[in-house]
Amino acid sequence: MTKQSTNRNILPIAVMFLLFFMIAFVTNFAGSMGVIVKNQFGASNAMSQLGTLANFIAYAVLGVPAGVILKRKGYKFTSLLAAAVGFVGVGIQWLSGPAESFGVYVLGAFIAGMSMCLLNVVVNPMLNTLGGGGKRGNQLVQFGGSMNSIGGTIAPILLGYLIGGEAAKASVGDAAPAMLIAMAIFLVAFVIIALTKIPEPHIETPEQRRAAALKEDKNADKYSPLSFRHFVLGAVAIFCYVGVEVGIPNTANLYMSGTPAVGPAIAGTVIGFYWLMMMCGRLLGGVVGGKVSSKAMLSVAAGVGIVLLLCVMFFPETWVITFKGMELPISMIMMFCCGLCTSVMWGSIFNLSAEGLGKYTPAASGIFMALVCGGGILPFFQNLLADHTSYLFSYIVPVAGLAYILWYALVGSKNVNKDIPTE
């Protein structure tokens, strides 16, 4: 695709950037909603994470089918479906406030999660296609990733600002402006995509499906990605990683928002710094990624992350710094620094797990997408532990997750199944 052709796709490219933004915005918004859920619906710490759990369980339900939808229906249909589902999901969450229903809120979070799963499947390859592949396509994907990080940074800051200074008065109505903005973005994206011609170079025709099915019957493969030990262990590492990435800020938000000396507004700002540090880490990782192996990068990130979380757990709560006239525990500074560590983990784990898979790599990607559900499951159990112990002690859950990731980087990532044909 020429540069002139790429210029004709400026509008759909801009829409894809917006959808990249929405993936992180809606996902992190669900995590930040825990403060509101605790107050309006009287939920425990664990129950306040049901929105995040529902959001991520959608990946387990729709991860593999989403890839099939993209393959059979193409970019345009899948992105239209994602925008429509996102509009409905956020709308249901908005309605949960007037309805005073926790169940309606969780349903909306699940439907919004389905949209996020569909978007994750479509936006990367679609941006690459709109850019014409090659360096231009990769450049657009990187810009999209930056928009994703910006969305993740803004969500907790905006919600903290909307809630204000007292968590005890928080309600879904406080978050309504942000939800309406999200719905408007989904609606605009739907209209623009519907009116735009999207190239579909990879859509599978019925004839191709029949030919592929016939070929598969003739060449039944007794192997799969699950035949590789290092991939199976890496899939578990992805599950742990997403749980660690989400659990660290979600629990910190509940902890700080409920502290009278801090409050939701400052807590949201601090959580925003965590996601901002992730963006910085990704940029730094892109610079050094060509010089440092994935094994070394993942080992250092996991090791430093463990040290930082131990500081979160054991630094005295009386150790504080003054931030905008409020006393902020130093342990929370260690928390947002963890964003630098988690920023490079997804790519490193995927690279190590996919090493040597050959023709099994596409199927492996689908399994990885399903295991993103760890982002809802581990934070739920972390906050269940917080209900019975304390917020700070509950960080033993992400510490354990990082310990496993460190072990995987050092030991579990070795491919011991090189005898399996992959061509």
Side-chain angles (χ1 to χ4, degrees):
M1 186 179 292
T2 65
K3 185 174 182 180
Q4 184 179 2
S5 300
T6 303
N7 290 338
R8 289 200 297 267
N9 290 324
I10 286 295
L11 196 54
I13 287 172
V15 172
M16 287 301 105
F17 284 172
L18 276 178
L19 293 180
F20 247 119
F21 176 94
M22 292 304 295
I23 290 172
F25 183 87
V26 173
T27 300
N28 290 359
F29 197 79
S32 300
M33 282 288 289
V35 176
I36 289 176
V37 169
K38 280 194 67 176
N39 177 63
Q40 182 166 354
F41 302 122
S44 64
N45 289 311
M47 295 297 285
S48 75
Q49 297 302 299
L50 280 186
T52 300
L53 178 61
N55 196 283
F56 279 97
I57 285 296
Y59 284 84
V61 174
L62 198 60
V64 175
V68 176
I69 292 172
L70 177 63
K71 190 175 182 181
R72 295 187 178 183
K73 296 293 185 178
Y75 296 134
K76 185 168 185 174
F77 177 89
T78 307
S79 55
L80 285 172
L81 179 62
V85 172
F87 180 89
V88 172
V90 176
I92 292 175
Q93 287 180 285
W94 173 66
L95 288 173
S96 69
E100 291 283 340
S101 173
F102 183 55
V104 171
Y105 164 73
V106 173
L107 174 63
F110 177 75
I111 294 174
M114 295 175 71
S115 172
M116 298 309 100
C117 180
L118 287 166
L119 289 177
N120 266 300
V121 168
V122 74
V123 291
N124 283 285
M126 187 170 174
L127 264 184
N128 188 57
T129 298
L130 289 171
K135 293 181 179 179
R136 175 65 173 165
N138 181 59
Q139 183 184 42
L140 290 179
V141 171
Q142 296 306 316
F143 281 137
S146 298
M147 290 297 295
N148 184 267
S149 296
I150 292 171
T153 301
I154 290 176
I157 296 175
L158 177 60
L159 189 58
Y161 170 79
L162 292 173
I163 294 173
E166 296 184 44
K169 297 180 179 179
S171 68
V172 174
D174 295 328
M179 292 184 183
L180 293 174
I181 291 172
M183 293 169 66
I185 291 175
F186 280 129
L187 182 60
V188 170
F190 184 93
V191 172
I192 292 176
I193 294 170
L195 297 175
T196 303
K197 184 177 181 181
I198 305 295
E200 300 279 5
H202 306 302
I203 193 170
E204 186 180 62
T205 64
E207 293 76 16
Q208 289 173 325
R209 286 200 295 273
R210 286 193 290 269
L214 182 62
K215 183 178 179 180
E216 185 175 338
D217 288 339
K218 290 182 178 180
N219 303 287
D221 198 336
K222 63 179 180 179
Y223 297 110
S224 75
L226 299 179
S227 303
F228 296 82
R229 191 197 73 158
H230 75 290
F231 170 75
V232 173
L233 296 176
V236 175
I238 281 290
F239 177 91
C240 292
Y241 154 68
V242 185
V244 168
E245 176 192 276
V246 175
I248 289 173
N250 279 16
T251 304
N253 198 19
L254 292 172
Y255 167 58
M256 289 187 290
S257 294
T259 303
V262 181
I266 298 299
T269 301
V270 175
I271 300 305
F273 271 111
Y274 170 86
W275 297 105
L276 181 63
M277 295 297 281
M278 281 197 66
M279 181 175 70
C280 295
R282 284 169 178 162
L283 294 173
L284 180 61
V287 172
V288 303
K291 304 175 182 178
V292 178
S293 69
S294 296
K295 180 176 181 177
M297 186 178 292
L298 185 61
S299 300
V300 171
V304 173
I306 290 172
V307 172
L308 289 173
L309 286 184
L310 290 176
C311 292
V312 170
M313 292 177 64
F314 296 112
F315 272 17
E317 294 183 65
T318 54
W319 291 8
V320 298
I321 61 172
T322 302
F323 181 73
K324 291 187 177 181
M326 297 185 180
E327 293 184 341
L328 183 67
I330 291 180
S331 60
M332 290 300 98
I333 304 299
M334 301 296 104
M335 179 281 302
F336 78 68
C337 288
C338 289
L340 283 172
C341 301
T342 55
S343 65
V344 297
M345 288 185 179
W346 174 278
S348 297
I349 295 172
F350 185 87
N351 288 344
L352 291 171
S353 301
E355 184 70 27
L357 293 188
K359 64 180 180 180
Y360 301 106
T361 302
S365 298
I367 295 173
F368 264 46
M369 187 58 67
L371 285 172
V372 167
C373 66
I377 295 174
L378 287 191
F380 175 82
F381 283 106
Q382 180 178 352
N383 282 279
L384 184 63
L385 182 60
D387 283 328
H388 294 89
T389 56
S390 69
Y391 285 117
L392 296 182
F393 182 77
S394 74
Y395 276 95
I396 194 67
V397 174
V399 166
L402 288 177
Y404 175 82
I405 293 171
L406 177 60
W407 173 84
Y408 176 73
L410 297 174
V411 180
S413 59
K414 181 179 181 182
N415 184 0
V416 298
N417 302 106
K418 295 182 178 180
D419 55 320
I420 298 176
T422 58
E423 299 298 330

